[in-house]
């Protein structure tokens, strides 16, 4: 395949060898357990059964947009009402049950009908395939690409009778935002985050309950925090939050760890989320950053500040 002029195809071997020990040390210094409470992954950590984990995780990931203090109560409220086993709840769910659970539900772009599609789709997947993993793997084998697999996954989840839902609960509003289909050119951050939780691990953050998908095929869940950190570390030159940028960042991370390229995601993302690497780069933050020597931006900020003293 012909390379695009100026395309960033991942770190060079030399650059990877320089960056790897610094990122490994950075990862080791991150208190992942302490950060779980600031992450939507906290919700599936309430459960032990793999089916409950994958169902609660997809619900949490799908709603994990906007401010955490706004979406967390929404996810928590739904899971509380779904009882001890979210998987058992969705297996038995019908339109009447969805209406009872979701009447009046609103979160930013989404209304109850949108969530009903997701929950009914998960219930159908469990009844017909036994697990959400089996549904995903079916699409992955058919499509041959991660993008194609996720597109098939969301399309299958949305394949529920809509007219009875609309009659009972009203029209959908933000279904494409909740379950994008077609997937399009966006980074699909929340879907890739869900895959990371299911496939990687087990470790203090990720579950590793999907055994048929290797971590090597995962794509970094690209958001503003990872995008900023990736630019600073030279993992990409792109500034948009698209699938192509996520591929470039992942290609660079794959040079560090071919078998598990997204293992740095949680630490890097939470470093940005915590305010340690804010959108507006400040000398006080850069000076105490353990990644400063690998950063493309911080040293210049610190140098300018020292000249102004």
């Amino acid at each position: 395949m012909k390379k695009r002029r100026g395309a960033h195809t991942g770190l060079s071997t030399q650059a990877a060898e320089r960056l790897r020990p610094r990122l490994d040390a950075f990862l080791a210094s991150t208190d992942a357990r302490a950060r779980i409470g600031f992450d939507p992954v906290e919700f599936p950590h309430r459960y032990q059964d793999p089916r409950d984990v994958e169902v609660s995780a997809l619900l949490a990931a799908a709603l994990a947009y906007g401010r955490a203090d706004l979406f967390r109560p929404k996810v928590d409220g739904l899971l509380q009402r779904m009882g001890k086993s979210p998987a058992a709840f969705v297996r038995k769910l019908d339109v009447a049950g969805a209406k009872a659970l979701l009447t009046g539900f609103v979160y930013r772009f989404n209304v109850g009908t949108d969530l009903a599609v997701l929950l009914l789709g998960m219930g159908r997947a469990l009844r017909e395939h036994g697990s959400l993993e089996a549904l995903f793997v079916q699409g992955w084998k058919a499509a041959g690409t991660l993008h194609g697999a996720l597109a098939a996954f969301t399309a299958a989840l949305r394949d529920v009778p809509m007219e009875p839902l609309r009659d009972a609960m009203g029209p959908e509003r933000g279904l494409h935002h909740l379950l994008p289909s077609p997937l399009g050119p966006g980074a699909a951050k929340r879907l890739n985050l869900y895959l990371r939780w299911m496939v990687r691990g087990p470790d203090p953050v990720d579950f590793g309950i999907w055994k048929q998908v290797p971590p090597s095929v995962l794509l970094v869940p690209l958001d503003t925090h990872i995008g900023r950190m990736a630019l600073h570390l030279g993992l990409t030159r792109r500034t948009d939050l698209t699938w192509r940028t996520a591929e470039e960042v992942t290609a660079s991370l794959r040079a560090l760890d071919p078998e598990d390229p997204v293992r740095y995601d949680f630490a890097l993302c939470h470093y940005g989320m915590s305010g340690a690497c804010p959108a507006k780069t400040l000398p006080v933050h850069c000076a105490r950053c353990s990644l400063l020597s690998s950063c493309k931006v911080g040293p210049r900020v610190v140098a300018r500040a020292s000249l102004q003293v």
Side-chain angles (χ1 to χ4, degrees):
M1 180 182 295
K2 186 177 180 180
K3 295 180 181 178
R4 299 184 305 276
R5 184 176 180 182
H8 187 84
T9 56
L11 293 176
S12 67
T13 301
Q14 187 177 22
E17 291 301 319
R18 289 196 303 267
L19 182 58
R20 185 183 298 108
R22 295 165 186 167
L23 270 181
D24 285 344
F26 175 79
L27 182 60
S29 69
T30 301
D31 188 350
R33 293 183 187 278
R35 294 297 306 177
I36 285 177
F38 299 92
D39 194 281
V41 78
E42 68 170 304
F43 295 106
H45 272 285
R46 296 176 178 180
Y47 305 97
Q48 298 297 320
D49 185 272
R51 304 291 74 81
D52 291 328
V53 170
E54 64 178 4
V55 167
S56 62
L58 185 54
L59 175 63
L63 286 173
Y65 65 91
R67 285 168 43 187
D69 62 327
L70 296 181
F71 72 70
R72 287 172 66 190
K74 296 293 185 178
V75 177
D76 182 64
L78 290 175
L79 289 173
Q80 293 288 350
R81 295 180 63 191
M82 289 165 70
K84 293 183 179 180
S85 173
F89 181 89
V90 299
R91 278 193 194 99
K92 299 176 182 177
L93 189 65
D94 57 13
V95 172
K99 181 178 180 180
L101 175 70
L102 294 163
T103 293
F105 179 93
V106 178
Y107 175 61
R108 295 193 68 189
F109 310 131
N110 292 120
V111 294
T113 306
D114 304 329
L115 269 293
V117 172
L118 172 61
L119 298 182
L120 290 167
M122 287 196 287
R124 177 180 176 180
L126 293 185
R127 293 191 301 271
E128 295 184 358
H129 300 274
S131 68
L132 298 185
E133 177 186 15
L135 176 63
F136 176 82
V137 169
Q138 176 181 277
W140 183 42
K141 289 181 177 178
T145 66
L146 191 65
H147 192 276
L150 283 174
F153 186 64
T154 57
L157 290 170
R158 288 177 57 161
D159 188 18
V160 300
M162 291 303 300
E163 288 311 312
L165 266 182
R166 292 171 181 144
D167 290 342
M169 302 178 62
E172 65 274 29
R173 189 174 79 184
L175 182 55
H176 183 72
H177 185 268
L178 192 75
L179 286 173
S181 181
L183 198 58
K189 180 254 182 177
R190 288 169 291 138
L191 288 169
N192 281 306
L193 180 64
Y194 175 66
L195 288 184
R196 199 203 79 204
W197 294 347
M198 297 299 96
V199 172
R200 283 203 69 257
D203 63 21
V205 178
D206 299 322
F207 295 91
I209 59 172
W210 284 14
K211 303 300 184 182
Q212 300 180 69
V213 183
S216 59
V217 307
L218 295 177
L219 200 69
V220 68
L222 182 68
D223 62 7
T224 56
H225 305 294
I226 289 294
R228 180 170 65 255
M229 297 290 288
L231 272 173
H232 287 189
L233 294 173
L235 303 178
T236 184
R237 301 188 189 102
R238 298 178 61 87
T239 58
D240 56 357
L241 300 179
T242 61
W243 188 273
R244 184 186 295 180
T245 302
E247 286 182 321
E248 288 197 358
V249 174
T250 307
S252 291
L253 294 174
R254 194 166 283 117
L256 304 176
D257 190 337
E259 300 303 315
D260 191 7
V262 304
R263 70 187 181 98
Y264 302 105
D265 171 63
F266 183 86
L268 289 172
C269 182
H270 277 265
Y271 195 67
M273 286 174 57
S274 70
C277 184
K280 182 179 180 180
T281 309
L282 300 172
V284 65
H285 294 101
C286 297
R288 58 184 181 225
C289 178
S290 62
L291 294 173
L292 181 63
S293 60
S294 297
C295 185
K296 308 296 183 183
V297 176
R300 296 197 298 270
V301 174
V302 173
R304 285 198 302 269
S306 64
L307 291 174
Q308 294 169 3
V309 174

